[in-house]
Amino acid sequence: LRACFELFHSTCTGLAKLSIETSNDLFEMDPLVTPEQVYEFRSKRGEWLTRFDAALRELFERRMGGQRRKGRRPDPVQSLSSLQLMNDCDTSKQSALAAVTQRLEAAGKNELAALNFRVSILFNEPPGREADNPFAPAYLIDAIGMTSRALYAEPQIWRPVMLRVVGDFVPAINKTYIQLNRYLADRGILPEIGAVLRARSGLRPADDGQLMPLF
């Protein structure tokens, strides 16, 4: 698990670094963000990367220590007492963030199913729908969110930052999970799982006599 995490961590920090370092245009067309805020954002990008690195490791170590994830950290402006403070721009950015999160989860869905099985076995937990995989998109989004909110207090800053970084992970997440699955399969962690998942999926033939060719 730790060796697999180092592979995951290396890939994620590399993608995040590329995303943050190419974000000079992030607030070019946003009239609500002042030049001072843009300067603050750019001046803290190095610290963002350092904190993101630490957040990924912290979340992984919690899971290794037996602490299961209990759900997404709530957006502070989504509490009932502050909903009336959200303007149209806030609502639009929050909807966009929810959409890109769904895109990230959908992009890695197929490979993640196999990875969930393997990680559950390594944690000595029964595989199933409640798999708590520290390499899942939810953990990655948690790390991005923790880092962005810690450095940038204003939602008009941390939301676009999250939106950019999460979006930049979408094209790469499936390839990342392929690498992790191959890494674990090559080390004897359920190398046959691809056939098992196909047999349990919509690809399973109506005639069980055809299962052997499927495998």
Side-chain angles (χ1 to χ4, degrees):
L1 275 168
R2 290 192 179 280
C4 194
F5 170 75
E6 290 304 326
L7 177 59
F8 177 71
H9 174 270
S10 175
T11 300
C12 289
T13 52
L15 287 169
K17 185 174 188 290
L18 179 62
S19 179
I20 285 293
E21 289 185 348
T22 56
S23 60
N24 282 335
D25 63 335
L26 189 54
F27 300 106
E28 277 186 353
M29 306 300 292
D30 193 336
L32 299 179
V33 178
T34 66
E36 291 76 19
Q37 289 174 317
V38 173
Y39 174 78
E40 180 189 19
F41 160 69
R42 292 179 179 176
S43 66
K44 289 183 177 180
R45 286 184 294 184
E47 186 179 354
W48 192 99
L49 292 169
T50 300
R51 284 177 177 256
F52 176 71
D53 179 313
L56 273 181
R57 293 189 180 279
E58 177 187 346
L59 292 171
F60 177 73
E61 290 301 332
R62 287 182 190 174
R63 182 67 179 96
M64 290 294 285
Q67 182 175 337
R68 295 177 65 89
R69 185 177 181 275
K70 296 181 180 179
R72 186 73 46 78
R73 290 164 181 78
D75 181 334
V77 303
Q78 285 185 320
S79 64
L80 291 177
S81 62
S82 61
L83 274 178
Q84 67 274 16
L85 300 179
M86 292 185 71
N87 56 35
D88 290 343
C89 183
D90 291 331
T91 304
S92 175
K93 289 290 176 60
Q94 191 63 31
S95 296
L97 188 54
V100 77
T101 296
Q102 292 173 357
R103 284 171 48 213
L104 180 68
E105 292 170 346
K109 182 178 179 180
N110 292 336
E111 286 294 325
L112 185 62
L115 188 61
N116 283 342
F117 264 72
R118 291 188 168 102
V119 169
S120 294
I121 292 298
L122 290 172
F123 274 115
N124 197 28
E125 297 173 350
R129 293 183 179 180
E130 301 303 320
D132 189 7
N133 183 350
F135 311 123
Y139 276 84
L140 178 59
I141 294 166
D142 280 352
I144 295 170
M146 289 167 60
T147 304
S148 301
R149 290 168 177 154
L151 283 181
Y152 307 114
E154 297 299 327
Q156 66 261 34
I157 302 298
W158 62 254
R159 276 204 193 97
V161 172
M162 284 191 68
L163 192 60
R164 169 65 65 89
V165 178
V166 174
D168 285 345
F169 270 89
V170 172
I173 194 68
N174 197 57
K175 181 179 178 181
T176 300
Y177 288 155
I178 288 174
Q179 289 178 321
L180 298 185
N181 271 316
R182 287 177 178 172
Y183 180 87
L184 293 177
D186 287 347
R187 283 150 184 80
I189 310 300
L190 299 181
E192 74 285 0
I193 199 171
V196 174
L197 289 176
R198 284 194 295 275
R200 293 182 177 182
S201 75
L203 296 175
R204 183 187 180 111
D207 179 5
D208 281 357
Q210 296 299 315
L211 277 179
M212 187 58 69
L214 177 64
F215 272 75

